Amino acid sequence: MSRIVLGVTGGIAAYKAVDLASRLRQQDHAVDVVLTRAAEAFVTPLSFSAVTGRPAYRDEDLWQGGESILHVELAHAAELVVIAPATADFIARAAHGLADSLLGSLLLSTRCPIIWAPAMESAMWQHPATRENVGRLQAVGQRVLPPGEGHLASGRQGIGRMPQPDEILVAVEEALRTPLLSHVRVLVTAGPTREYIDPVRFLSNPSTGRMGIAVAEAARSWGAAVTLVLGPTEVPAPGGVQVVGVTSSAEMFQAVEAELEHTDVLVATAAVADLRPARQFDHKVKKDELPNALELERTDDILAYAGAHRRPGQILVGFAAETDDPEVEARRKLQQKNCDLVVGNDVRQEGAGFGVNTNVCTFVTAHGAWQVGPASKREIGEEIMAFVAQRLGR
Ligand code: CTP
């Protein structure tokens, strides 16, 4: 349980902050809500105190009289401050150190981590003044979550929606956690591979690499040193991790082989092509000259190689994307590839598989199996890291 200050500023998304406060409370946090005057036009302190079981504060409370000074008390007790929603106006005030509200004074007084969940119209978010103000907050180590895209209060579509409570909760967890995996080296394979027939044709699959990218992000947030071996994808690689871009399964194999010796944990999420053309042409083959059947050969199994050459203490995690029984298949792969954990999923199930942001998984180890999800790919990444931390006795 941690003591969290939830600052609510005056935007239409303020009503969503009530849900956020409730969910923080459900996670056993003690939540002190502080509203700005503008926020009170949208929600009342009572809405918050009803879900947090604690008083919610407003500017009038700044000088209550008596011994204690409220903003200093709250600032010192807080282990984390979350501002949701954060308006352009309040971001500007905080970026310039204004202390003309209870929340503004509290932000200047606290030394705990601060997370911002901005919500505003796209034009305001993109305005150079806001960009500069956000940059100021980031420069002093505060975390500004990117707003979401979609329907805005004006009726327009665009960037500026308050990040989803789920995303904010993940950020809260990250901020509160002491990095359990610091000094642990995690290697993640992700994305598809391309097996070229000639310079303009290849065999591949629809993997986007999202699952592996989410695992890499989760590992980084647990304090690990992360290397991501990433096949061709449009999805941007995360910051703060070392990215090795590869194209074919042979390149991915080489990249992993080179890293394995320095790896404590391998998480193989890549959808490696199982077959490649036996012959590759170095020029574009004219269609009239294309054969009716391609002669194919097997690619090397990267995870199986790692399993056969694993060092004592090294942890191996595989995935099994299936259309049949994922648990049975995951168990088979666990044994065949000598892994500690295989995450099986049924790619035909709704909210699972290629290209989507969620997954429903069965975690299979030598000792048992359990279901994880439906959950975001990031949450599944977090669960994998929890398993790894436990295995490492952290
Ligand atoms: N994998 C790998 N290298 C390969 C093939 C698979 O590292 N050449 C890894 C994947 O990243 C995944 C696991 O092995 O972690 C299982 O991959 P999957 O494609 O589900 O299984 P296959 O081994 O190809 O087996 P099958 O086709 O029988 O399902």
Side-chain angles (χ1 to χ4, degrees), residues 251-381:
E251 282 172 21
M252 188 174 275
F253 188 94
Q254 276 171 13
V256 170
E257 195 185 20
E259 290 287 331
L260 263 185
E261 199 190 325
H262 317 287
T263 294
D264 301 310
V265 181
L266 169 68
V267 186
T269 75
V272 186
D274 292 314
L275 296 164
R276 69 174 155 238
R279 174 167 179 211
Q280 275 188 34
F281 296 88
D282 55 11
H283 62 280
K284 181 184 167 192
V285 181
K286 292 290 164 199
K287 71 174 168 236
D288 290 343
E289 293 159 23
L290 280 173
N292 286 332
L294 277 178
E295 196 189 327
L296 301 172
E297 63 185 23
R298 293 281 288 270
T299 58
D300 291 319
D301 191 313
I302 302 169
L303 181 59
Y305 174 86
H309 295 86
R310 64 190 270 180
R311 284 191 285 109
Q314 204 172 36
I315 296 176
L316 301 185
V317 179
F319 271 71
E322 306 297 339
T323 52
D324 297 316
D325 188 336
E327 188 176 329
V328 171
E329 285 302 302
R331 188 162 303 288
R332 182 172 68 81
K333 288 173 189 176
L334 183 83
Q335 285 155 3
Q336 270 177 4
K337 305 195 188 194
N338 194 18
C339 293
D340 298 274
L341 167 68
V342 172
V343 177
N345 70 322
D346 180 348
V347 289
R348 285 191 301 201
Q349 202 169 333
E350 189 152 331
F354 293 124
V356 294
N357 274 322
T358 53
N359 224 335
V360 186
C361 298
T362 309
F363 279 39
V364 178
T365 69
H367 309 293
W370 65 97
Q371 190 177 316
V372 177
S376 66
K377 290 186 171 173
R378 175 57 187 270
E379 285 166 329
I380 288 162

